[in-house]
Amino acid sequence: MSSSRGSAALRVADAVPVFAALGDATRLSLVGRLSAEGPLSITRLSEGTGVTRQAVTRHLNALGDAGLVHNARRGRESVWALNLARLHAARGYLDQISAQWDDAADRLKAFVENDP
């Protein structure tokens, strides 16, 4: 196995927990709220969702395990915020896949156009 394939495998392995965490609709919604509104407490994140604070906490912990969010204590509250570096890394992985698909489509187009 070449070293480039080995490093690509590491990127894939690093990406798996991120996309697994984002594959849940509630977690994706929480990421969306944190992105739009900035750092929020569990109480604020659970308002209007129909999801209990305990369930929100479990979802935030899953997002935290994937490196997507982190929390800090503010008085008696725990405030959660996005880890933008991890989101940018995930975006970079998707951009890499998109570029590979574009290259493959270009090769297919060239092959079809040059076929007698």
Side-chain angles (χ1 to χ4, degrees):
M1 181 192 279
S2 72
S3 63
S4 65
R5 285 182 56 91
S7 63
L10 289 175
R11 285 191 299 266
V12 170
D14 290 341
V16 168
V18 172
F19 293 112
L22 293 174
D24 179 88
T26 300
R27 291 185 206 127
L28 188 56
S29 175
L30 290 170
V31 168
R33 289 221 25 222
L34 290 170
S35 177
E37 300 177 40
L40 295 169
S41 68
I42 292 170
T43 301
R44 289 277 317 276
L45 283 166
S46 61
E47 288 174 354
T49 63
V51 179
T52 66
R53 286 189 312 239
Q54 293 80 9
V56 168
T57 299
R58 284 194 301 274
H59 285 295
L60 288 168
N61 286 329
L63 290 167
D65 290 345
L68 291 167
V69 297
H70 61 274
N71 68 332
R73 299 293 290 176
R74 285 192 192 159
R76 295 185 313 168
E77 285 189 313
S78 184
V79 177
W80 291 81
L82 290 177
N83 179 355
L84 293 178
R86 190 73 162 155
L87 285 174
H88 289 301
R91 171 72 186 262
Y93 184 74
L94 290 176
D95 288 344
Q96 178 185 358
I97 292 171
S98 178
Q100 290 170 346
W101 275 98
D102 290 344
D103 291 345
D106 290 344
R107 288 191 308 273
L108 178 61
K109 180 181 177 187
F111 175 77
V112 169
E113 290 175 349
N114 292 327
D115 193 32

